[in-house]
Amino acid sequence: MTVERDGVAARAGAAFPRRILSGMRPTGRLHLGNYVGALENWVRLQEAGWSNFHMVADWHMLTTGHEDTSALQSDIHEMVVDWLAAGLDPKRCVLFVQSAVQEHAELHLLLSMLVSKARLERIPTLKEQIRDLHLDEATISYGHLGYSVLQAADILLYKASHVPVGEDQVPHVELTRELARRFNFLYCQDREPVFPEPEAQLTAFPRLRGLDGSRMSKSLGNTILLADSPEEIAAKVKQAYTDPKKIRANDPGRPDADPLDGHPGCVVYEYQRKFNPGGAADVAARCRAGTLACVPDKGHLSEVLAAALAPVRERRARWSADPSAVRDVIADGNRRARAVAEATMDEVRSAMGLKPRAALAR
Ligand code: TRP
């Protein structure tokens, strides 16, 4: 038996199909780290026949940036263009915007009854945000405290079996599992469980560092964007951190980290390993021997990156030339997401003893 739901073929046999729900805060144009850490993996799952739901987490964005929303719509648009550029196929994936599906708010409210304030305050991701953004714990908004409950609603509405996330997001998936279990226990004694317990799916490749060797982040200006031209890539790679002790061209270099000396490892080598897996060992050997200088090494990496990103750049050019086609993709995704979310909310309301939607004038 093949289960066909919302036009996406799901794997037969399982009570809950193999489905991913990813969420990404709309930060505008995406960078190489987003590509390696997330997009590449989503495309791989799409090719393997999974049911892919990809959500622009615009309400989540408001938790830490609600004052100035002037760039929000263009950031959403640019990010979806990059998703399409990375190779997500809107026929096989559902690309949608959280705020277009109001059921996220409804499920968030219902789930918020099932978790204590103390439990939310213990979530390490929130604690890290408070530390990193220098927030005052006493001024955290009600919405920000509930961030992870909203994320649980995002995931459970689509009954995702897997959630592709970075290490930092695992506590949110853990909370999602708890909420699914609690809901099923409280309200599904006399029926099939409404929610699966989703699993976090960590990406295989470790996070790429930024060009300067620190954490890759748009705000730090150390990224290569998927939208960058080969010339822009070359100019940025020229600035990349290598080995500060390799001064002359024929000095032996240290591709790997040297913790005793505070050397975090050459960024060019790190990118070579990722984008030129077959040739990176040779590059490193010649660097160590002092027969490869940083300038030609960087020139070579720029070519490798430009070639690896060529298909992305071509698709990006096509989609960005046609903004109304992108808007159509989003509108269609919103519609398909809404259909699934509405069906789930019917089950949720029924299990909880709330009136079905059909009984309400809408
Ligand atoms: N919290 C995630 C982040 O900051 C974004 C997100 C929102 C998300 N909803 C989600 C991720 C649902 C996975 C599933 O990166």
Side-chain angles (χ1 to χ4, degrees):
M1 186 190 69
T2 307
V3 192
E4 179 85 19
R5 279 198 207 161
D6 37 86
V8 183
R11 192 164 288 202
F16 293 106
R18 285 165 90 76
R19 169 174 293 169
I20 53 163
L21 178 290
S22 79
M24 203 180 256
R25 299 154 63 104
T27 52
R29 293 186 172 187
L30 298 180
H31 56 63
L32 219 48
N34 302 123
Y35 184 69
V36 169
L39 301 177
E40 235 184 7
N41 182 46
W42 301 352
V43 172
R44 195 173 53 77
L45 294 169
Q46 161 185 285
E47 298 308 324
W50 285 53
S51 164
N52 287 30
F53 280 68
H54 299 293
M55 180 190 82
V56 179
D58 58 344
W59 279 342
H60 278 93
M61 197 74 182
L62 301 180
T63 57
T64 52
H66 61 277
E67 294 92 351
D68 181 7
T69 55
S70 55
L72 191 57
Q73 295 312 318
S74 74
D75 282 348
I76 292 172
H77 188 95
E78 289 298 321
M79 188 167 83
V80 173
V81 169
D82 276 334
W83 287 2
L84 294 163
L88 290 179
D89 172 0
K91 291 198 188 65
R92 286 181 283 166
C93 297
V94 179
L95 310 183
F96 71 102
V97 178
Q98 181 180 36
S99 66
V101 184
Q102 303 196 354
E103 281 71 15
H104 290 258
E106 186 180 356
L107 186 57
H108 168 248
L109 178 127
L110 296 175
L111 294 177
S112 74
M113 312 298 167
L114 308 188
V115 62
S116 71
K117 176 170 157 285
R119 173 71 181 86
L120 299 180
E121 282 165 348
R122 277 201 303 273
I123 291 179
T125 319
L126 181 71
K127 288 191 182 163
E128 282 160 24
Q129 258 184 355
I130 290 172
R131 197 194 52 213
D132 294 349
L133 302 175
H134 309 292
L135 304 173
D136 175 357
E137 200 161 348
T139 65
I140 291 293
S141 73
Y142 173 51
H144 195 171
L145 180 65
Y147 185 101
S148 50
V149 183
L150 181 57
Q151 184 161 346
D154 301 337
I155 296 165
L156 295 177
L157 265 182
Y158 304 94
K159 303 191 181 189
S161 59
H162 294 79
V163 188
V165 283
E167 201 82 60
D168 62 312
Q169 295 289 313
V170 171
H172 291 162
V173 181
E174 195 44 55
L175 179 76
T176 306
R177 294 169 63 87
E178 282 173 37
L179 286 169
R181 227 176 293 144
R182 182 114 187 100
F183 186 96
N184 291 339
F185 171 76
L186 286 173
Y187 305 117
C188 308
Q189 298 282 355
D190 61 344
R191 63 181 75 217
E192 287 297 306
V194 171
F195 295 123
E197 281 182 43
E199 278 172 41
Q201 193 183 54
L202 294 170
T203 44
F205 202 85
R207 245 191 235 186
L208 278 188
R209 286 177 299 153
L211 290 165
D212 58 358
S214 66
R215 185 174 64 87
M216 190 184 302
S217 157
K218 230 178 156 177
S219 56
L220 297 176
N222 59 7
T223 65
I224 290 173
L225 299 178
L226 297 185
D228 283 344
S229 66
E231 296 72 34
E232 286 166 317
I233 292 174
K236 286 182 174 180
V237 170
K238 263 191 196 144
Q239 309 294 324
Y241 174 86
T242 54
D243 174 1
K245 285 207 173 147
K246 184 168 162 63
I247 295 160
R248 274 177 301 268
N250 55 358
D251 286 344
R254 296 170 299 168
D256 290 310
D258 183 356
L260 293 179
D261 189 35
H263 169 53
C266 171
V267 171
V268 175
Y269 177 50
E270 180 175 335
Y271 287 23
Q272 285 275 13
R273 277 202 314 264
K274 167 61 198 163
F275 292 95
N276 180 22
D282 175 57
V283 167
R286 287 191 291 135
C287 168
R288 286 191 195 100
T291 55
L292 176 64
C294 293
V295 173
D297 186 13
K298 286 175 168 178
H300 175 241
L301 176 67
S302 302
E303 284 165 26
V304 165
L305 290 178
L309 292 176
V312 175
R313 205 163 41 247
E314 277 160 31
R315 280 188 294 258
R316 191 174 214 293
R318 257 184 286 133
W319 284 105
S320 47
D322 194 354
S324 84
V326 177
R327 282 194 292 273
D328 287 347
V329 164
I330 297 173
D332 181 56
N334 289 344
R335 196 177 44 69
R336 285 153 75 198
R338 215 174 279 134
V340 179
E342 283 174 359
T344 301
M345 285 316 294
D346 281 341
E347 291 179 45
V348 166
R349 286 163 160 264
S350 161
M352 288 184 83
L354 297 166
K355 282 226 169 135
R357 182 185 315 262
L360 306 170
R362 210 186 182 222

